[in-house]
Amino acid sequence: MRIRRTRDQVRPRSDSDPVLPYPNGWFCVGTAAEWRPKTVLTKPFMGQEIVVYRTERGTLRAVRPHCPHLGAHLGFGGTVDGELLVCPFHRFAFGPDGACARTPYGLPPRAGLQLVPVTQAAGLVWAWHSHDGTPPSWQLPEKLTRLSTRHIHIRSLEVDGHSLDVAENAIDFRHFPHVHRIDAEALSEPKEDGPFYHMDIRLRRPMPPFGTIVQDFSVSLIGVAGPFVEIDLPLAHARVTGCVFSTPIAPRRNRIHFVSAATFTRPGRPSRGVSRIAAGVLESAVSRVLGRYHYRDAAHDFPIWSHREFLPHPRINGADSPIGPFRIWARQFYPSVGEDREAK
Ligand code: FES
Ligand SMILES: [Fe+2]
C-alpha cells in the first residue's frame, strides 16, 4: 500500500458562517497503516479528539481521550499492554470494553473509558459519529470492505469547506465542465438506499491527442463521507476504483482521503498473458497514476469549497443536477438544528 501525505493546500479561514451540524455516520480518521500493533494516536474528529489504538493482537479500538481517574489525555503518553490501554499518569489500564481492568494500587474504579465504534475498510480506519451517542445503525458496504488494499494508493490532506461539500460535489455533475473540463450527463435518476445514494453518470473526457474518452460509471455515496466509484474496463480485464472521503474535523474544516486502486486480476486468476507479479506491478503503477489524476481533478474544487457559503435553500433550476433530492436524503445524517453545531 502506498500512502502519500500532502501538506495543507488551503489555509483555514474564519468559521463565522452559519453551517451544518456535524453529521452522523462512518468517517475516516486515518490510514490503517498508521496503526501498527501497540500504536496509540490522537485524531481530530467532529470538533473533538479521539484516541485510536491497536492492541498487540492487532485489534483496532477508539476511545474518548480523557482518563476517568484524574483526567489525563490517553493520547499523550498512553501505551498498549497486550489488549489493555494504559494511562500515562497513574497507569490505570483499560480493557476492550472500556472498563478499568487493572491499577498499580487499590481496586479498579468502576468508571471506564467511553468507546467510539471503529472499523477498517479500503486501507482506511473509520470511526462512527452519532450526535446523541447511539451505536452504529448501519455498516460500511461490502464493496468497500472487500476492496483489495494490496496496491491501493491513498492521499490525504486538510481542506476548508462544509461537511456536505464532497458528497454533493459527486452528484453535482453540472459543475464538471466548468471546474474539471469534463462533459457529464446523468444516465439515470438517483437511487436512495438507506444511508447510500447511487447515481449513474457518463463522462466525456478530452484526452488529446487520442480524442475524447467516454466513461460510464456509478457513483455510490457512503453516507455523507463521500463517493465510491468503480469502473469496469472489460477489454483490459481491469477494474479501477476511486474514492474521495471527507471527515469533518473542526468548524468548516475537513480531512480528505483520496483512495485509488486498479485491479488487473479477476478473482482467483491472473489476466490472460499477464503473470500475477506483473499484474501486481501494473496495479501499483496504475493506482499511483490514477491517484495523481484523481487528486489533480479534485484539487480544482478546493478553492470553491473553501469560500463557498452553504445555502440551505439553494435557487436551483429544472436542469440542475439532483441537488434537491440529494439534500432531502442527506437530512438523515444531521441532527436537528440547534444540536451539535459545527460552528457558532
Ligand atoms: S489519570 Fe489516568 S490513571 Fe490517573
Ligand atoms: Fe468537483
Side-chain angles (χ1 to χ4, degrees):
M1 181 194 308
R2 180 185 159 81
I3 298 162
R4 178 161 173 187
R5 293 203 159 276
T6 313
R7 283 191 307 150
D8 298 355
Q9 301 293 303
V10 183
R11 302 312 316 153
R13 46 165 268 174
S14 155
D15 54 3
S16 59
D17 293 347
V19 289
L20 295 159
Y22 289 114
N24 297 336
W26 290 103
F27 295 90
C28 309
V29 291
T31 61
E34 290 176 71
W35 283 273
R36 297 190 180 287
K38 302 183 78 168
T39 303
V40 181
L41 294 176
T42 304
K43 292 288 179 176
F45 188 60
M46 308 287 170
Q48 300 183 346
E49 288 178 327
I50 56 172
V51 173
V52 184
Y53 65 100
R54 205 185 280 282
T55 68
E56 264 185 54
R57 280 211 292 261
T59 308
L60 205 57
R61 300 199 185 283
V63 292
R64 295 284 166 202
H66 294 104
C67 176
H69 178 224
L70 279 167
H73 194 302
L74 292 147
F76 291 86
T79 51
V80 170
D81 178 8
E83 299 305 291
L84 304 179
L85 179 63
V86 183
C87 177
F89 203 1
H90 309 88
R91 304 204 63 75
F92 285 22
F94 300 88
D97 58 353
C100 185
R102 190 182 75 201
T103 74
Y105 53 85
L107 290 175
R110 269 205 247 155
L113 299 174
Q114 198 185 332
L115 302 179
V116 176
V118 72
T119 189
Q120 197 170 302
L124 296 165
V125 171
W126 300 71
W128 171 259
H129 176 256
S130 160
H131 72 282
D132 58 4
T134 47
S137 51
W138 51 277
Q139 298 303 323
L140 292 171
E142 205 193 321
K143 63 182 171 186
L144 192 74
T145 55
R146 69 171 152 75
L147 184 68
S148 166
T149 56
R150 266 182 316 159
H151 303 298
I152 207 165
H153 184 271
I154 300 175
R155 190 165 185 169
S156 157
L157 81 164
E158 286 184 19
V159 176
D160 280 357
H162 302 285
S163 58
L164 207 51
D165 283 345
V166 168
E168 187 168 288
N169 184 84
I171 60 106
D172 175 17
F173 61 87
R174 289 297 186 197
H175 83 282
F176 289 6
H178 316 295
V179 175
H180 305 291
R181 296 198 164 85
I182 304 169
D183 280 336
E185 62 180 299
L187 292 176
S188 66
E189 292 293 310
K191 283 191 223 74
E192 292 179 25
D193 177 15
F196 312 116
Y197 194 86
H198 309 284
M199 194 169 161
D200 298 323
I201 294 179
R202 171 168 295 163
L203 296 186
R204 287 193 181 80
R205 183 189 287 268
M207 295 279 273
F210 307 110
T212 298
I213 293 190
V214 179
Q215 281 172 346
D216 291 351
F217 62 90
S218 293
V219 176
S220 296
L221 298 179
I222 316 286
V224 289
F228 177 101
V229 175
E230 257 180 353
I231 306 173
D232 280 318
L233 305 170
L235 289 180
H237 296 282
R239 167 175 286 182
V240 296
T241 305
C243 311
V244 187
F245 295 128
S246 164
T247 301
I249 56 173
R252 291 188 44 76
R253 189 82 173 153
N254 300 302
R255 176 155 282 278
I256 308 221
H257 289 91
F258 295 88
V259 179
S260 309
T263 310
F264 282 88
T265 308
R266 289 177 180 165
R269 66 192 176 96
S271 306
R272 195 164 17 139
V274 182
S275 76
R276 189 174 288 274
I277 293 172
V281 171
L282 206 54
E283 283 172 358
S284 187
V286 174
S287 297
R288 198 161 48 245
V289 172
L290 273 176
R292 222 173 270 150
Y293 267 101
H294 193 184
Y295 172 81
R296 205 188 57 181
D297 263 359
H300 293 126
D301 289 310
F302 297 166
I304 305 274
W305 298 342
S306 293
H307 300 281
R308 182 183 179 200
E309 185 176 11
F310 182 80
L311 299 178
H313 304 291
R315 301 294 183 214
I316 50 182
N317 73 24
D320 246 312
S321 42
I323 301 291
F326 164 80
R327 291 272 183 102
I328 291 168
W329 166 82
R331 277 184 203 153
Q332 65 182 299
F333 303 101
Y334 288 90
S336 313
V337 172
E339 298 173 67
D340 200 7
R341 301 297 297 180
E342 186 176 340
K344 299 173 183 69

